[in-house]
Amino acid sequence: MAENILIERIDRIAIITINRPEKLNALNIRTRAELAQALDELRDDSEIRVVILTGAGEKAFVAGADISEFEGRTAIEQRAVMRSRNIFTTAEEFPKPLIAMINGFCLGGGNELAMCCDLRIAGENARFGQPEINLGIIPGGGGTQRLTRLIGEGRSMQMILTGEMIDAREAWRIGLVNEVHPTAELREKTLAIASRVASRSPVALAMAKAAVKGASRNTLRAGLDLEIDLFSLCFSSEDKDEGVRAFLEKRQPDFKGR
Ligand code: COA
């Protein structure tokens, strides 16, 4: 039974809530393990097509790794923790669309987790930062790599070297988040995007995710080859037949995920 993770199902959408609001949803070892387990469960649940990830309470998405666990930990122990079940890799490799619904502080490992999601939708109250430098450490959940890929070296360097927070509008301006909404409308707006995505073919969504991610992880030539392979693979799905037929018959498609 999960202690720090809640799962809510709304039609074909699941919402995972990291539920430690009294600690601003900081990621301790237990929460990471439970989050990985929740993602495993939803990956294998054929009813679920899109997953939203958020934090409990009104203050935070996730305020980072649980700093209290750092005290007294040796380098060897820290390495073992980070290499055991890497929640960032688990989130990034999740095959269904994953949307971060960012409802407050999104710091350190929280920002790194949000960057492993495919879309980031923020409330106006969201604050973003990589404050590890203030603790005498550096981002360790992929922050130096994914932030740089997402917003460029100059802006990434500024966030990581200063450790200062930026607000939701600035995060939107520099491309760290896709959309910003009044906080009271965040859930409704995120669910609206999630349900639009959930109406698409799950087969094509998985292929599209893999192809887009290939862009920043391959050379252009390898990325273009990957795209052709994944595009062609879609032709083996019933969903492709349904999508094409529905267009020609001037009706909405009914995708089955096969
Ligand atoms: N790890 C562990 N506990 C954390 C935490 C974290 N990353 N972030 C917040 N908390 C805890 C606080 O210790 C406090 O617990 P307490 O009530 O038992 O003392 C509780 O969450 C509420 O946080 P608080 O600091 O009182 O809220 P605030 O509104 O004054 O400040 C922040 C909010 C986000 C600015 C501040 O909590 C903070 O700087 N957190 C650390 C962020 C960070 O450095 N993350 C990267 C870690 S590598």
Side-chain angles (χ1 to χ4, degrees), residues 1 18-19 21 26 45 51 60 78 84-85 91 106 118 140 162 167 177 180 183 187 190 195 200 202-203 240:
M1 185 69 188
I18 299 171
N19 188 29
D45 185 337
V51 175
Q78 181 61 26
S84 57
R85 181 77 197 268
C106 180
D118 303 305
T162 66
D167 65 18
V177 300
V180 180
T183 308
R187 184 181 158 101
T190 309
S195 60
R200 279 34 176 182
V203 178
K240 170 256 170 187

Side-chain angles (χ1 to χ4, degrees), residues 22-24 26 59 63 65-67 70 105 107 131-132 135 165:
E22 70 291 352
K23 295 290 177 191
L24 304 187
K59 271 187 81 172
D66 190 317
I67 299 170
F70 289 169
F105 289 115
L107 302 174
E132 293 87 348
L135 302 171
M165 289 186 221

Side-chain angles (χ1 to χ4, degrees), residues 147-149 151-158:
L147 187 62
T148 305
R149 279 171 161 78
I151 66 173
E153 186 174 298
R155 290 186 169 119
S156 170
M157 198 67 96
Q158 187 169 355

Side-chain angles (χ1 to χ4, degrees), residues 47 53 99 130 148 151 189 198 236 246:
E47 297 295 309
L53 186 57
I99 302 177
Q130 295 290 159
T148 305
I151 66 173
K189 299 284 188 194
S236 68

Side-chain angles (χ1 to χ4, degrees), residues 12-71:
R12 295 180 291 192
I13 300 164
I15 304 180
I16 300 178
T17 302
I18 299 171
N19 188 29
R20 289 185 83 207
E22 70 291 352
K23 295 290 177 191
L24 304 187
N25 306 316
L27 297 172
N28 60 2
I29 291 177
R30 179 169 190 142
T31 306
R32 285 167 198 248
E34 290 180 358
L35 179 55
Q37 211 177 336
L39 287 170
D40 286 350
E41 185 184 320
L42 295 171
R43 180 196 58 209
D44 297 337
D45 185 337
S46 59
E47 297 295 309
I48 294 300
R49 294 192 176 181
V50 175
V51 175
I52 295 172
L53 186 57
T54 195
E58 293 175 357
K59 271 187 81 172
F61 171 69
V62 170
D66 190 317
I67 299 170
S68 67
E69 290 183 339
F70 289 169
E71 200 178 17

